[in-house]
Amino acid sequence: MEDIGIVSYGGYIPRLRITAKEIASIWGKDGERMSSGLGVYEKSVPSIDQDTATISVEAARAALRRTNINPLDIEAIFIGSESHPYAVKPTGTIVGEAIGATPDLMIADYEFACKAGTAAIQNCVALVKAGYIRYGLAIGADTAQAAPGDALEYTAAAGGAAFIIGKEDVIASINYTYSYATDTPDFWRRAERKYPSHGGRFTGTPAYFKHITSCAKGLLEKAGTKPEDYDYAIFHQPNGKFPKKVAKILGFTSEQIKQGLLVPFIGNTYSGSSLVGLASVLDVAKPGDRIFLVSYGSGAGSDGFDITVTDNIMKLNRENAPSMKEMIDDKEYISYGIYAKYTDLLYWE
Amino acid sequence: MKESVARFWREIPQRYNIIGNKCTVCGRVFFPPRESCPYCRRKSLGKMQKIQLSGKGKIVTYTIIHSATEDFEDQVPYPIAIVELDEGPRITAQIVDCKPEDVKIDMRVESTFRKIRQDGSTGAIYYGYKFRPMR
């Protein structure tokens, strides 16, 4: 089988944080209970001058800094997000121009709630495999929206990760990918609406858990593997509880999911969610490590990946860009007032 | 104030990637790029070479803006600095990712990609460079 997979990667988390306790104090809730109930202590917040395009550019530049790839050899850019800055006008062209990859390439923005970034990876893999492109750049990034006072406000965060996909000097081979999708309206945002709506508890069993477990089982069958064959497992992380629970249902241990579980410290970065987890795993991965990843996008679907880290990871200049841990630790706390101003919760005419 | 989309578009290489140029006669580097070198003048015609600047440099001087134009009112107080890039040119830019009181002369900084301004809620969004403390 031809070795196709991740050639380089980069992530980006904005510096600002707001604690669940601070949000709870505004809405008259018990902060510690909210924190332990959701498994999220604090979340990242975009600065007033950051959006999905700027996060995508930072992540893509980090991926490029770790290799000597000529950006002009990137022949496809796909960006998955549910907070593209424009409703009509691609984020991908901004990123393409900012990394010097234009004009000989294909670009498209993707949307499938929180799994559009993994869909972007699958399409890059397919194009590389078909021989249409040399390298593809797949990005999942978001500045997640949440209505003031909604349960989502404690988790909706900002961040993203970028992956260069190719077949030369592959650092992590994508052995198998498998997807599972049904029409399940658990979470949505109607056109021209500012904030998403969700089905509350309906987002659990028939949505998140059904799709992730079905996709994971399908992938294990396709790859002929068992949970214990993997060194790391990453599941979409809308809060700190769901990924732990789904891991347990599937037979993965808390040790396997630990390195990729960033949600307690940065919140849910939506399209970036499972991908910042993958970036965190690649920050520490050694040759031979096997990674299991299943994303989830409301509406609903999951993309699964069976990945093997190769010897080439030792040649990648990982230190040329900050690790996910370094970005998580580099933070500045803000009050709810500043959060409201920066995330456009305040309106005035 | 509404900006001309075409004018912004023309400046994308400079605003996104800090692309300057170099006089191949005397070796001086310019940002924004110049048609000719002001030192070598006609000798430099046709000998100006486009170069990608590193985006790394140090703060020469700075000021803290407390009274901003309409587009930047929601960011005050914020630092604006003259940054001397490692290749030589000096550029004026906003300093982000730190508190205004943490900005110091000679501080090492690197460029970051940010939203600079937008034409209200219906107009175009303009991106470009700002600088942050080097980590």
Side-chain angles (χ1 to χ4, degrees), chain A residues 6-27:
Chain A
I6 300 164
V7 176
S8 186
Y9 73 98
Y12 184 78
I13 307 290
R15 284 181 72 244
L16 302 178
R17 301 282 184 279
I18 186 166
T19 61
K21 206 171 154 189
E22 169 75 6
I23 297 171
S25 72
I26 301 299
W27 302 108

Side-chain angles (χ1 to χ4, degrees), chain A residues 223-289:
Chain A
T225 50
K226 298 184 291 298
E228 54 268 35
D229 296 334
Y230 294 90
D231 299 279
Y232 299 100
I234 303 145
F235 300 102
H236 172 56
Q237 29 202 285
N239 55 51
K241 291 260 159 109
F242 279 21
K244 284 184 185 164
K245 192 173 164 189
V246 85
K248 200 172 168 189
I249 293 170
L250 288 163
F252 288 90
T253 64
S254 54
E255 203 49 45
Q256 284 167 301
I257 61 167
K258 198 174 156 196
Q259 179 67 24
L261 193 65
L262 308 186
V263 64
F265 319 105
I266 59 167
N268 177 9
T269 56
Y270 284 35
S271 300
S273 180
S274 51
L275 295 181
V276 293
L278 178 57
S280 171
V281 166
L282 291 174
D283 279 342
V284 299
K286 298 181 302 298
D289 282 348

Side-chain angles (χ1 to χ4, degrees), chain A:
Chain A
M1 194 168 55
E2 197 174 28
D3 215 13
I4 294 173
I6 300 164
V7 176
S8 186
Y9 73 98
Y12 184 78
I13 307 290
R15 284 181 72 244
L16 302 178
R17 301 282 184 279
I18 186 166
T19 61
K21 206 171 154 189
E22 169 75 6
I23 297 171
S25 72
I26 301 299
W27 302 108
K29 307 268 190 210
D30 180 339
E32 278 174 24
R33 257 185 82 185
M34 290 306 292
S35 246
S36 67
L38 290 164
V40 174
Y41 309 107
E42 54 197 48
K43 68 168 190 173
S44 62
V45 179
S47 184
I48 203 158
D49 56 2
Q50 292 182 304
D51 61 18
T52 292
T54 69
I55 289 169
S56 299
V57 169
E58 295 280 3
R61 284 180 175 172
L64 281 167
R65 274 202 299 275
R66 290 182 162 132
T67 70
N68 295 319
I69 290 173
N70 181 348
L72 290 170
D73 290 331
I74 292 173
E75 295 175 297
I77 298 178
F78 301 130
I79 303 182
S81 180
E82 45 188 289
S83 54
H84 289 293
Y86 291 92
V88 178
K89 195 214 161 295
T91 307
T93 53
I94 299 166
V95 175
E97 204 73 55
I99 62 167
T102 53
D104 290 323
L105 78 170
M106 58 178 95
I107 291 177
D109 286 358
Y110 286 177
E111 193 281 319
F112 191 146
C114 298
K115 83 157 193 74
T118 51
I121 293 180
Q122 288 178 325
N123 282 291
C124 284
V125 169
L127 286 165
V128 170
K129 196 167 185 175
Y132 279 110
I133 60 169
R134 185 167 173 193
Y135 296 110
L137 175 64
I139 300 176
D142 254 305
T143 51
Q145 315 90 347
D150 190 281
L152 287 175
E153 196 175 27
Y154 296 89
T155 56
F163 298 86
I164 300 174
I165 306 294
K167 57 182 175 185
E168 298 157 61
D169 299 322
V170 170
I171 61 153
S173 309
I174 296 175
N175 312 316
Y176 296 98
T177 178
Y178 173 77
S179 294
Y180 183 91
T182 71
D183 188 13
T184 307
D186 60 324
F187 169 107
W188 58 87
R189 180 163 61 83
R190 293 279 298 274
E192 295 174 12
R193 285 286 157 184
K194 193 171 163 73
Y195 303 117
S197 306
H198 54 87
R201 295 175 70 86
F202 185 67
T203 59
T205 306
Y208 180 91
F209 292 102
K210 179 186 160 190
H211 291 80
I212 291 196
T213 55
S214 303
C215 180
K217 284 174 186 164
L219 179 62
L220 289 169
E221 197 182 311
K222 201 170 168 183
T225 50
K226 298 184 291 298
E228 54 268 35
D229 296 334
Y230 294 90
D231 299 279
Y232 299 100
I234 303 145
F235 300 102
H236 172 56
Q237 29 202 285
N239 55 51
K241 291 260 159 109
F242 279 21
K244 284 184 185 164
K245 192 173 164 189
V246 85
K248 200 172 168 189
I249 293 170
L250 288 163
F252 288 90
T253 64
S254 54
E255 203 49 45
Q256 284 167 301
I257 61 167
K258 198 174 156 196
Q259 179 67 24
L261 193 65
L262 308 186
V263 64
F265 319 105
I266 59 167
N268 177 9
T269 56
Y270 284 35
S271 300
S273 180
S274 51
L275 295 181
V276 293
L278 178 57
S280 171
V281 166
L282 291 174
D283 279 342
V284 299
K286 298 181 302 298
D289 282 348
R290 201 140 179 195
I291 305 166
F292 189 81
L293 182 148
V294 181
S295 64
Y296 173 71
S298 288
S302 281
D303 299 325
F305 298 85
D306 167 41
I307 300 167
T308 305
V309 178
T310 75
D311 293 343
N312 289 327
I313 196 149
M314 303 314 288
K315 288 190 262 171
L316 188 74
N317 296 311
R318 284 190 271 194
E319 66 290 348
N320 281 6
S323 68
M324 298 311 290
K325 181 166 188 329
E326 284 169 319
M327 283 184 280
I328 288 169
D329 292 343
D330 177 20
K331 59 188 171 183
E332 181 184 332
Y333 289 103
I334 55 170
S335 65
Y336 192 88
I338 295 290
Y339 166 78
K341 185 170 88 167
Y342 281 10
T343 53
D344 199 24
L345 300 184
L346 306 170
Y347 294 97
W348 62 89
E349 293 285 318

